[in-house]
Amino acid sequence: EADIYQTPRYLVIGTGKKITLECSQTMGHDKMYWYQQDPGMELHLIHYSYGVNSTEKGDLSSESTVSRIRTEHFPLTLESARPSHTSQYLCASSDRFDEQFFGPGTRLTVL
Amino acid sequence: GEDVEQSLFLSVREGDSSVINCTYTDSSSTYLYWYKQEPGAGLQLLTYIFSNMDMKQDQRLTVLLNKKDKHLSLRIADTQTGDSAIYFCAEREGDDKIIFGKGTRLHILP
């Protein structure tokens, strides 16, 4: 069973608020990822990291930022949430064989 | 960029076989994957296949790879109600990223 956790699982928040979505893994994986998943199911890579102090933007432009100060922790921050940010956010980490282990996701609703 | 295509929906009667198809564009892909996503959950790796293999079988799951046509399929034998989920095909791009398809929603008919 994958040991990757996301909090909160559900978040409803007003426009303009700053939010941080937490992601932690206890598997010692160097690579971590954030995906945004459409209501229609498609996954979009928005950020990834090769290891501590490494962060890269993904294929989908996002107003969010990430940090990687510790191997096990990869939080995603939105400075000012907007309704267009309403989505499901999935965090993942991968081992050296690139098997990706996914967290349960955070469903964000911005009013 | 590279692309992974799969049909969006599939309906299958309980007990029949399900076949989910996928095409990809990166001929240099070394690994190809099938992930399963149940409602309200993240994705879970079901199986993967190396690009130098044609077939891989794991209990009720059979993966077929046609490298010439860049076609990957997942066959689920004796489909059960618990198999109802979204199935994502994915390919490894270089050393960095996994490219996912849009997912196929498998619906099981009684």
Side-chain angles (χ1 to χ4, degrees):
Chain A
E1 191 170 319
D3 295 313
I4 180 163
Y5 309 98
Q6 290 186 243
T7 57
R9 291 293 314 276
Y10 303 92
L11 179 61
V12 180
I13 201 161
T15 296
K17 300 291 186 184
K18 178 180 177 178
I19 56 170
T20 296
L21 307 185
E22 301 287 352
C23 176
S24 296
Q25 50 98 3
T26 58
M27 296 173 282
H29 291 165
D30 287 326
K31 294 183 184 177
M32 294 189 74
Y33 312 81
W34 275 103
Y35 293 89
Q36 187 173 339
Q37 186 172 28
D38 293 344
M41 306 179 298
E42 187 172 7
L43 285 163
H44 298 286
L45 179 67
I46 51 175
H47 297 283
Y48 60 103
S49 167
Y50 293 124
V52 171
N53 294 325
S54 152
T55 61
E56 304 285 343
K57 287 193 179 294
D59 303 319
L60 180 69
S61 173
S62 173
E63 293 162 344
S64 57
T65 59
V66 291
S67 62
R68 190 85 184 277
I69 299 170
R70 303 198 319 262
T71 299
E72 61 271 21
H73 198 214
F74 191 39
L76 180 144
T77 299
L78 278 165
E79 290 293 332
S80 180
R82 294 208 303 271
S84 60
H85 296 138
T86 294
S87 190
Q88 164 104 324
Y89 292 85
L90 290 170
C91 179
S93 69
S94 65
D95 59 16
R96 62 190 182 97
F97 298 109
D98 276 332
E99 176 182 346
Q100 294 206 351
F101 294 87
F102 282 81
T106 295
R107 184 166 294 282
L108 173 66
T109 301
V110 183
L111 303 175
Chain B
E2 306 303 341
D3 205 8
V4 176
E5 298 284 342
Q6 52 185 127
S7 54
L8 294 183
F9 297 99
L10 177 66
S11 290
V12 174
R13 292 209 175 276
E14 188 175 0
D16 289 350
S17 292
S18 305
V19 180
I20 303 171
N21 294 301
C22 168
T23 57
Y24 59 97
T25 57
D26 185 358
S27 57
S28 64
S29 291
T30 51
Y31 294 83
L32 295 138
Y33 308 86
W34 283 104
Y35 282 82
K36 177 183 182 182
Q37 185 179 31
E38 295 184 353
L43 278 68
Q44 179 184 16
L45 181 68
L46 270 183
T47 187
Y48 64 91
I49 189 167
F50 296 112
S51 59
N52 62 357
M53 296 169 64
D54 298 324
M55 186 183 89
K56 181 178 180 181
Q57 188 154 1
D58 183 3
Q59 298 182 334
R60 292 191 298 123
L61 305 178
T62 303
V63 178
L64 294 176
L65 174 60
N66 182 329
K67 280 198 74 177
K68 176 174 168 291
D69 295 338
K70 295 179 197 159
H71 182 264
L72 184 73
S73 69
L74 173 70
R75 178 176 180 269
I76 305 172
D78 187 25
T79 307
Q80 305 297 309
T81 54
D83 296 325
S84 180
I86 302 170
Y87 291 82
F88 290 88
C89 173
E91 64 171 345
R92 180 176 173 177
E93 182 182 274
D95 292 327
D96 298 343
K97 291 182 286 185
I98 308 295
I99 307 298
F100 288 89
K102 295 183 179 181
T104 299
R105 187 180 294 274
L106 177 62
H107 177 64
I108 312 303
L109 302 167

